[in-house]
Amino acid sequence: MAGNSIGKNLVLTTFGESHGPAIGGVLDGFPAGIEIDLDLIQSEINRRNPAKYPFATPRKEDDKLEILSGIYEGQSTGAPIAFIVYNHDQRPEDYDILKDLYRPSHADFTYEARYGIRDPRGGGRASARTTLAIVAGGAFARQLLSLNKISITGYVSQIGPHSLPAGFILADRALVRLSPLACPNEKTTQKMLDFLHTLKEEGDTAGGVISCVIKGVPAGIGDPLFDKLQANLSKAMLSINAVKGFEFGSGFNAARMKGSESNDEFILEENLIKTKTNHDGGIQGGISNGMDITFNVAFKPISTLSMEQTTINRNGDEITYKAEGRHDVCVVPRAVPIVEAMAALVLADKL
């Protein structure tokens, strides 16, 4: 199976399945002599843990990170950093029924079409649990970015039909961590919670949007033509489970604007070249211009429903299927650290 690595200079390769023994990764190209804060890395992993969020799967994993190589006396050695997190709360028997059927909108059919075999236990490599290794690798990358005073903040801007007020600007990053849904607006959060409570009772699920702001990226990061910064970010985000859309800057709204409305005029401010507006989202010609990099990532509703659906099995027989086991109503809040980690890996690779 190819496609398990991301990056050219800083390369993260992940391994493991949802209900296998462990999830892990190897981060190659990380420079030597960097002080590593393992507590910070563990805290990023904990942000992804479902125990932190309402309406998430009740699966309970301690997600304790173990370092296998690449760090000595608190510093990176320049060798590949290998890490692992063991799975403990597994119930593979919950998935026995899935061996011969194809769940609607899951990767069951396509994995089998591609490889002739698949792991039905929680989706195997297609499971969102594999993103744990991305969060861990991204946490290492964030420590490189912090040396360059680059910060990444993701937040939930929409769940289902409920979104932040038009023109919302994130003024306080702390509000994201304080919200049970990683949404920095109390009224919007309550609407989302009420909506998700109703969906849970119905056995249904919801999608949403994660917005992200990256501050401190200097001008000149990125490469034309096929390694444009927004293209690298797009591929990384679209590699996350359940992601259906990516836009940066004004995104699809740019199609409704006139050029005179869309153009970002240059100004000189405190001896720095900046732009009056930021419709381009901090990237022009595929290269950073020094302004904040802004983008949105759209997630579809989780495909595993606690209600009956119609599908077929390997024999082509039409059957009725209802999911058993433990599943999310909405995964979007848990995906915020995943989006941030992917952004960190892309930027650290470029730097």
Side-chain angles (χ1 to χ4, degrees), residues 48 55 66 68 85 91 136 138 153 157 183 185 187 222 236 262 273 277 293 298 304 310 312 320 335 344:
R48 183 206 157 277
F55 306 104
E66 293 186 24
L68 304 179
V85 173
R91 296 182 189 174
T153 305
S157 56
C183 174
N185 182 282
K187 290 184 178 179
S262 176
I273 296 177
T277 52
I293 294 175
T304 303
T310 301
I312 64 171
T320 300

Short mmCIF file of all heavy atoms in Angstrom, two decimals, residues 48 55 66 68 85 91 136 138 153 157 183 185 187 222 236 262 273 277 293 298 304 310 312 320 335 344:
data_model
loop_
_atom_site.label_atom_id
_atom_site.label_comp_id
_atom_site.label_asym_id
_atom_site.label_seq_id
_atom_site.Cartn_x
_atom_site.Cartn_y
_atom_site.Cartn_z
N ARG A 48 -7.02 15.53 20.58
CA ARG A 48 -7.73 14.74 19.60
C ARG A 48 -8.59 13.65 20.23
O ARG A 48 -9.51 13.13 19.61
CB ARG A 48 -6.70 14.11 18.64
CG ARG A 48 -7.27 13.31 17.51
CD ARG A 48 -6.27 12.27 17.05
NE ARG A 48 -6.99 11.19 16.38
CZ ARG A 48 -7.57 10.18 17.02
NH1 ARG A 48 -7.53 10.10 18.34
NH2 ARG A 48 -8.23 9.26 16.34
N PHE A 55 -20.67 14.19 22.26
CA PHE A 55 -21.14 13.64 20.99
C PHE A 55 -20.05 12.94 20.20
O PHE A 55 -20.15 12.77 18.99
CB PHE A 55 -21.81 14.72 20.12
CG PHE A 55 -22.91 15.45 20.84
CD1 PHE A 55 -22.71 16.73 21.32
CD2 PHE A 55 -24.13 14.83 21.06
CE1 PHE A 55 -23.72 17.40 22.00
CE2 PHE A 55 -25.14 15.49 21.74
CZ PHE A 55 -24.94 16.78 22.22
N GLU A 66 4.88 6.86 23.09
CA GLU A 66 6.18 6.29 23.43
C GLU A 66 7.16 6.60 22.29
O GLU A 66 6.84 6.41 21.12
CB GLU A 66 6.09 4.77 23.62
CG GLU A 66 5.26 4.36 24.83
CD GLU A 66 5.31 2.86 25.08
OE1 GLU A 66 6.30 2.22 24.65
OE2 GLU A 66 4.38 2.33 25.69
N LEU A 68 10.54 5.80 20.30
CA LEU A 68 11.38 4.64 20.04
C LEU A 68 12.78 5.03 19.59
O LEU A 68 13.73 4.27 19.80
CB LEU A 68 10.73 3.75 18.97
CG LEU A 68 9.32 3.25 19.27
CD1 LEU A 68 8.79 2.40 18.12
CD2 LEU A 68 9.28 2.46 20.57
N VAL A 85 1.85 4.57 19.70
CA VAL A 85 0.78 4.65 20.70
C VAL A 85 0.01 3.34 20.61
O VAL A 85 -0.53 2.99 19.55
CB VAL A 85 -0.17 5.84 20.44
CG1 VAL A 85 -1.35 5.78 21.40
CG2 VAL A 85 0.58 7.16 20.59
N ARG A 91 -12.71 -3.44 20.42
CA ARG A 91 -13.81 -4.39 20.35
C ARG A 91 -13.98 -4.85 18.91
O ARG A 91 -14.95 -4.50 18.23
CB ARG A 91 -15.11 -3.75 20.85
CG ARG A 91 -15.10 -3.35 22.31
CD ARG A 91 -16.45 -2.78 22.72
NE ARG A 91 -16.41 -2.18 24.04
CZ ARG A 91 -17.44 -1.51 24.58
NH1 ARG A 91 -18.56 -1.35 23.87
NH2 ARG A 91 -17.34 -0.98 25.79
N ALA A 136 0.62 13.60 16.23
CA ALA A 136 1.92 13.48 16.90
C ALA A 136 3.03 14.07 16.03
O ALA A 136 3.86 14.87 16.50
CB ALA A 136 2.21 12.02 17.22
N GLY A 138 2.73 16.23 13.63
CA GLY A 138 2.51 17.66 13.53
C GLY A 138 2.96 18.42 14.76
O GLY A 138 3.41 19.57 14.67
N THR A 153 -3.71 28.31 14.41
CA THR A 153 -4.92 28.21 15.22
C THR A 153 -6.10 27.77 14.35
O THR A 153 -6.49 28.48 13.43
CB THR A 153 -5.27 29.55 15.90
OG1 THR A 153 -4.15 30.00 16.66
CG2 THR A 153 -6.47 29.38 16.82
N SER A 157 -15.96 26.62 12.77
CA SER A 157 -16.74 27.79 12.36
C SER A 157 -18.15 27.41 11.92
O SER A 157 -19.01 28.28 11.76
CB SER A 157 -16.03 28.52 11.21
OG SER A 157 -15.78 27.66 10.13
N CYS A 183 -15.46 25.94 19.23
CA CYS A 183 -16.05 27.07 18.51
C CYS A 183 -15.96 28.31 19.39
O CYS A 183 -16.50 28.34 20.50
CB CYS A 183 -17.52 26.78 18.18
SG CYS A 183 -18.40 28.17 17.45
N ASN A 185 -17.36 31.04 20.03
CA ASN A 185 -18.52 31.91 20.18
C ASN A 185 -19.57 31.16 20.99
O ASN A 185 -20.04 30.10 20.57
CB ASN A 185 -19.08 32.33 18.82
CG ASN A 185 -20.26 33.28 18.93
OD1 ASN A 185 -21.37 32.86 19.22
ND2 ASN A 185 -20.03 34.56 18.68
N LYS A 187 -22.78 31.71 21.88
CA LYS A 187 -24.14 31.54 21.35
C LYS A 187 -24.17 30.51 20.23
O LYS A 187 -25.06 29.66 20.17
CB LYS A 187 -24.68 32.89 20.85
CG LYS A 187 -24.98 33.87 21.96
CD LYS A 187 -25.60 35.14 21.41
CE LYS A 187 -25.94 36.12 22.53
NZ LYS A 187 -26.53 37.39 22.01
N GLY A 222 7.13 28.72 -0.40
CA GLY A 222 6.33 28.06 -1.41
C GLY A 222 7.05 28.01 -2.74
O GLY A 222 8.03 28.74 -2.94
N ALA A 236 -2.82 18.14 1.75
CA ALA A 236 -2.75 17.67 3.14
C ALA A 236 -4.13 17.63 3.77
O ALA A 236 -4.51 16.64 4.41
CB ALA A 236 -1.82 18.58 3.94
N SER A 262 -11.61 42.27 -5.27
CA SER A 262 -10.79 41.13 -4.85
C SER A 262 -9.31 41.47 -4.65
O SER A 262 -8.65 40.88 -3.79
CB SER A 262 -10.92 40.01 -5.88
OG SER A 262 -10.08 38.93 -5.57
N ILE A 273 6.30 45.51 3.94
CA ILE A 273 5.32 45.47 2.86
C ILE A 273 4.16 44.58 3.28
O ILE A 273 4.36 43.40 3.60
CB ILE A 273 5.96 44.95 1.56
CG1 ILE A 273 7.04 45.92 1.08
CG2 ILE A 273 4.90 44.75 0.48
CD1 ILE A 273 7.79 45.46 -0.16
N THR A 277 -6.01 44.55 2.35
CA THR A 277 -6.96 43.47 2.61
C THR A 277 -6.22 42.14 2.47
O THR A 277 -5.04 42.12 2.13
CB THR A 277 -8.12 43.54 1.61
OG1 THR A 277 -7.59 43.59 0.27
CG2 THR A 277 -8.98 44.79 1.84
N ILE A 293 -2.08 33.49 6.78
CA ILE A 293 -2.60 32.48 5.87
C ILE A 293 -3.90 31.97 6.45
O ILE A 293 -3.96 31.52 7.60
CB ILE A 293 -1.58 31.34 5.69
CG1 ILE A 293 -0.33 31.86 4.98
CG2 ILE A 293 -2.19 30.18 4.90
CD1 ILE A 293 0.79 30.85 4.87
N ALA A 298 -13.86 21.73 4.83
CA ALA A 298 -15.22 21.23 4.99
C ALA A 298 -15.23 19.72 5.22
O ALA A 298 -14.59 18.97 4.47
CB ALA A 298 -16.07 21.57 3.76
N THR A 304 -21.12 6.59 9.50
CA THR A 304 -21.66 5.53 10.35
C THR A 304 -22.85 6.07 11.13
O THR A 304 -22.70 6.93 12.00
CB THR A 304 -20.58 5.01 11.32
OG1 THR A 304 -19.46 4.56 10.57
CG2 THR A 304 -21.12 3.86 12.15
N THR A 310 -29.95 0.94 3.68
CA THR A 310 -29.95 -0.15 2.70
C THR A 310 -28.61 -0.19 1.99
O THR A 310 -28.07 0.84 1.60
CB THR A 310 -31.08 0.04 1.67
OG1 THR A 310 -32.33 0.07 2.35
CG2 THR A 310 -31.10 -1.11 0.67
N ILE A 312 -25.63 -3.40 -0.02
CA ILE A 312 -25.51 -4.74 -0.57
C ILE A 312 -24.32 -5.45 0.05
O ILE A 312 -23.43 -4.81 0.62
CB ILE A 312 -25.38 -4.75 -2.11
CG1 ILE A 312 -24.08 -4.06 -2.53
CG2 ILE A 312 -26.59 -4.08 -2.76
CD1 ILE A 312 -23.78 -4.23 -4.01
N THR A 320 -30.48 -4.77 4.78
CA THR A 320 -30.66 -3.63 5.67
C THR A 320 -29.59 -3.68 6.74
O THR A 320 -29.35 -4.73 7.35
CB THR A 320 -32.05 -3.64 6.33
OG1 THR A 320 -33.05 -3.58 5.30
CG2 THR A 320 -32.23 -2.45 7.25
N ALA A 335 -11.33 17.14 14.99
CA ALA A 335 -10.45 17.27 13.83
C ALA A 335 -9.64 18.56 13.84
O ALA A 335 -8.73 18.72 13.01
CB ALA A 335 -11.27 17.18 12.53
N ALA A 344 1.04 22.31 10.06
CA ALA A 344 2.38 22.39 10.62
C ALA A 344 3.36 21.53 9.82
O ALA A 344 4.50 21.96 9.55
CB ALA A 344 2.37 21.94 12.07
#
